[in-house]
Amino acid sequence: MNVETILTGAIAGIITAGITGFFGVLFAFKQFRTQRAFDRQLEWYEKTTEAVMEFLALNETIVFALKKDRPDLLQEAAKNMMAPLKEYARTANKSLLYCERKMYLRLKEIGAKQREITEATGESPLRAGAEVVELYQSNVKLLEQTAFDLSKPIRKMLGLDKLSLADFEK
């Protein structure tokens, strides 16, 4: 073996290792970005589902209080209303980044429904009539469906089995 053959082999090995290393780093970086995006989307779905469920519980409490004429429960719900509303609004505002068009439109629909309820009740949910009860009940149904639909991508991302809406409502 002469020096030329050894140098040619060494240079070829170094170039091959450099190119392989370069593409390996590019691939690893792409995988890292993909995983990070997945983690962010999963976190958004989890937080949004929690916010919708909290908002759902608040609406169910209001419906119960209105039907059973329980002003004490209504006042408690009115007092605790801002935190769930703010959390819902915060997560819904990020929906443009993380969810499918259908869910984005549903979350906007919930916001519109809440504005309709606010207009119907004025300053407080304490002012109620049959129309207000009906608005809250329709909001409860919309929130239930939304929470269920939000859980689908989470369960799929985590590799969990599917649930039906009947399972959810039990």
Side-chain angles (χ1 to χ4, degrees), residues 11-25:
I11 291 172
I14 290 170
I15 291 173
T16 302
I19 291 171
T20 304
F22 175 76
F23 285 115
V25 167

Side-chain angles (χ1 to χ4, degrees), residues 46-166:
E46 289 171 347
K47 286 183 177 183
T48 304
T49 302
E50 290 170 4
V52 167
M53 293 298 289
E54 194 173 328
F55 197 34
L56 171 62
L58 175 69
N59 276 264
E60 287 175 331
T61 300
I62 292 170
V63 168
F64 177 81
L66 289 171
K67 284 183 169 183
K68 300 295 182 184
D69 194 27
R70 295 277 309 271
D72 57 318
L73 286 177
L74 277 175
Q75 287 185 335
E76 185 69 25
K79 187 173 87 175
N80 297 324
M81 187 176 278
M82 287 314 293
L85 278 172
K86 283 182 180 179
E87 184 61 20
Y88 173 78
R90 191 183 68 70
T91 58
N93 287 339
K94 290 185 176 183
S95 65
L96 189 60
L97 300 172
Y98 296 112
C99 69
E100 300 285 330
R101 180 179 184 275
K102 181 179 174 184
M103 183 54 65
Y104 170 75
L105 294 174
R106 173 95 53 81
L107 293 171
K108 285 185 67 155
E109 181 183 351
I110 291 170
K113 176 78 75 177
Q114 188 57 43
R115 284 188 292 282
E116 184 182 351
I117 290 171
T118 301
E119 288 173 10
T121 60
E123 294 294 314
S124 168
L126 300 174
R127 228 187 295 159
E131 177 188 324
V132 172
V133 173
E134 192 174 305
L135 284 172
Y136 274 110
Q137 284 178 318
S138 68
N139 206 32
V140 164
K141 289 190 184 323
L142 183 61
L143 288 164
E144 283 176 344
Q145 183 66 51
T146 302
F148 175 73
D149 289 345
L150 280 167
S151 74
K152 288 178 186 178
I154 295 171
R155 296 184 68 79
K156 184 177 180 180
M157 287 178 196
L158 297 175
L160 301 173
D161 58 340
K162 293 181 181 182
L163 287 176
S164 70
L165 188 55

Side-chain angles (χ1 to χ4, degrees), residues 38-51:
F38 171 85
D39 291 343
R40 281 186 183 161
Q41 186 180 34
L42 180 61
E43 181 181 359
W44 177 83
Y45 270 102
E46 289 171 347
K47 286 183 177 183
T48 304
T49 302
E50 290 170 4

